[in-house]
Amino acid sequence: MTGVQTCALPISILLPGDPLRAKFIAENYLRDVKQYNNVRGMLGFTGIYKNIPVSVQGSGMGMPSMGIYSWELITEYGCKNLIRIGTSGALNSEIMIRDIIVSLASSTDSNYAHSFKIPGSYSPAASWELLTKLYETGKKTGISFKAGNTVSCDVFYETDPDWWKKWSEMGVLAVEMEAAALYMNAAITKIGRASCRERV
């Protein structure tokens, strides 16, 4: 959050791409809300949800933007639980509109990983601890979801209309643009506590 106003953030933070979605979540689901950031229009709020302090911060579109915000939240503000929430495009005929997808791991066509100098392909994954909590909460609340691999792509408007078919053949459930960067930053900083929940 380059230039973010100083604010002590809680340990858990939701990361929708759209800053107006962050505003909507804060206004409709949190109490005692305080806006801590509006730099470059990327809104951030902290409030209380069921007596637990939670922040919600817009992350922008694409892996570079998510990379910046998640890196600073982890390294500068000490955030430990980072959960991307947003929309995705289904790559599987069994997935219906408004289904919830949990990204166990995030494939990518991005060159984002080059800065980590990994000698091969790397598939960043979500935190098992957070995924387990999500699974248990889903059982208690009756909220169902599908879980599997997703893919974070750099290009929104692909010129090849069949680009998605190879991903689908490999069992990838959905496409979005940010999760892989979040997972890589969580891995390299060793917080190991990131997850991604998408709605188709």
Side-chain angles (χ1 to χ4, degrees), residues 97-115:
I97 292 175
R98 299 188 68 80
D99 278 354
I100 297 173
I101 296 174
V102 173
S103 180
L104 302 181
S106 183
S107 300
T108 186
D109 63 3
S110 175
N111 198 33
Y112 185 86
H114 85 279
S115 63

Side-chain angles (χ1 to χ4, degrees), residues 1 3-9 35-39 46 76-77:
M1 294 174 296
V4 67
Q5 291 93 339
T6 301
C7 179
L9 299 181
Q35 181 178 321
Y36 64 80
N37 190 58
N38 64 3
V39 175
T46 292
E76 302 296 326
Y77 297 94

Side-chain angles (χ1 to χ4, degrees), residues 1-2 4 9 13-23 25 36-45 55-74 82-87 112 152 176-183 185 195-198:
M1 294 174 296
T2 305
V4 67
L9 299 181
I13 187 160
L14 305 177
L15 296 168
D18 185 353
L20 293 181
R21 184 173 288 168
K23 184 173 186 288
I25 292 168
Y36 64 80
N37 190 58
N38 64 3
V39 175
R40 300 189 179 193
M42 201 56 67
L43 303 175
F45 304 87
S55 284
V56 54
Q57 171 66 55
S59 67
M61 290 181 68
M63 292 178 64
S65 186
M66 170 60 84
I68 293 169
Y69 285 93
S70 60
W71 183 267
E72 292 187 2
L73 287 165
I74 295 166
L82 295 92
I83 303 171
R84 168 170 155 64
I85 56 174
T87 52
Y112 185 86
S152 297
E176 52 80 65
M177 302 183 74
E178 292 83 25
L182 172 61
Y183 288 1
N185 283 352
S195 69
C196 176
R197 187 176 64 182
E198 306 284 348

